[in-house]
C-alpha cells in the first residue's frame, strides 16, 4: 500500500463517489479493510472473504477466527439484502478477494458456516482432543466439497482458540 491509516474508518471522495474504508483488525491478518463504494452499493472485502476456499487465517500476522467473524458481521451490517425477493437482482454487491460476486445472504451463509465449524472445534478442545484428533474428526467435512481441503483452516482455528 502507498497509504496507511490507523483510525477505524477513513472516508474519501474519488471518481465522483464517496468511499468508506473500514479497518477490521485481526480477521485474515492484522491489516484487513473493507472498502464500501457508497454510490455503487458495492463492498470489496479482499481476503476477508474467499468464495473459492476456506478462509486463510494468518495467526502469525494477527489473524483470528473471532476477527474473521467480526469482519463478516461488519460486512453483513453494511450490506443491504435484496428484498422482498432474495432471488431478484438488487441489494449490495459484495466482492470477495477470490471467486464469484456475493450478495448479503451469501455472506450470512459463510459467516454461519464459520460459526458452526468454530463451535465444533471449541467443543472438541474442551473435551480434551488434540489437533490431530480434531483433524481426524473432520469438523469441516460437510463444507469440503464446496471449499476444498480444510486442514490449514482447522489448524488456524485450533491455534487461535488455544493461544494463551
Amino acid at each position: 500500500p502507498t497509504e496507511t491509516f490507523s483510525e477505524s474508518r477513513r472516508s474519501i471522495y474519488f471518481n465522483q463517489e464517496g468511499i468508506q474504508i473500514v479497518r477490521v483488525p485481526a480477521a485474515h491478518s492484522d491489516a484487513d479493510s473493507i472498502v464500501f463504494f457508497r454510490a455503487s452499493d458495492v463492498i470489496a472485502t479482499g481476503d476477508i472473504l474467499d468464495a473459492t476456499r476456506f478462509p486463510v487465517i494468518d495467526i502469525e500476522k494477527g489473524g483470528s477466527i473471532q476477527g474473521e467473524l467480526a469482519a463478516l458481521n461488519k460486512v453483513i451490517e453494511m450490506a443491504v439484502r435484496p428484498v422482498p425477493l432474495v432471488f431478484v437482482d438488487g441489494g449490495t454487491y459484495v466482492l470477495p478477494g477470490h471467486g464469484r460476486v456475493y450478495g448479503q445472504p451469501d455472506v450470512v451463509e459463510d459467516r454461519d458456516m464459520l460459526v458452526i465449524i468454530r463451535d465444533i472445534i471449541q467443543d472438541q478442545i474442551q473435551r480434551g482432543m488434540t489437533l490431530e484428533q480434531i483433524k481426524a474428526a473432520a469438523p469441516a467435512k460437510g463444507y469440503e466439497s464446496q471449499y476444498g481441503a480444510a486442514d490449514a483452516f482447522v489448524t488456524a482455528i485450533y491455534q487461535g482458540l488455544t493461544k494463551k
Side-chain angles (χ1 to χ4, degrees):
T2 58
E3 192 174 327
T4 62
F5 66 102
S6 59
E7 60 268 21
S8 64
R9 179 182 304 249
R10 173 165 287 180
S11 298
I12 60 174
Y13 193 76
F14 182 75
N15 242 6
Q16 301 171 353
E17 180 165 21
I19 300 169
Q20 290 182 314
I21 306 168
V22 180
R23 191 169 165 270
V24 287
H28 159 70
S29 70
D30 63 356
D32 293 308
S33 297
I34 299 166
V35 181
F36 180 28
F37 299 87
R38 295 176 57 103
S40 301
D41 201 12
V42 171
I43 297 173
T45 65
D47 285 333
I48 295 166
L49 192 58
D50 188 331
T52 64
R53 63 181 176 178
F54 289 104
V56 176
I57 299 174
D58 194 338
I59 300 290
E60 298 291 318
K61 293 186 178 165
S64 71
I65 186 65
Q66 291 308 111
E68 183 76 20
L69 290 169
L72 293 178
N73 283 333
K74 182 55 113 174
V75 172
I76 292 165
E77 173 188 313
M78 293 169 68
V80 175
R81 63 180 296 212
V83 288
L85 306 171
V86 295
F87 52 85
V88 176
D89 282 345
T92 304
Y93 291 108
V94 180
L95 306 179
H98 308 274
R100 68 179 180 85
V101 176
Y102 272 24
Q104 191 255 17
D106 300 311
V107 181
V108 170
E109 188 174 316
D110 270 24
R111 189 266 328 262
D112 291 350
M113 171 197 61
L114 297 184
V115 169
I116 290 166
I117 296 169
R118 185 224 32 214
D119 289 352
I120 291 169
I121 294 171
Q122 181 66 56
D123 179 64
Q124 292 170 327
I125 290 168
Q126 289 173 344
R127 290 190 283 136
M129 293 174 72
T130 66
L131 175 57
E132 292 311 313
Q133 290 171 323
I134 291 172
K135 285 182 183 179
K141 183 81 170 161
Y143 301 99
E144 288 181 349
S145 63
Q146 182 176 355
Y147 294 104
D151 191 62
F153 177 61
V154 169
T155 301
I157 293 175
Y158 177 87
Q159 290 173 341
L161 293 175
T162 58
K163 195 175 183 180
K164 298 204 183 330

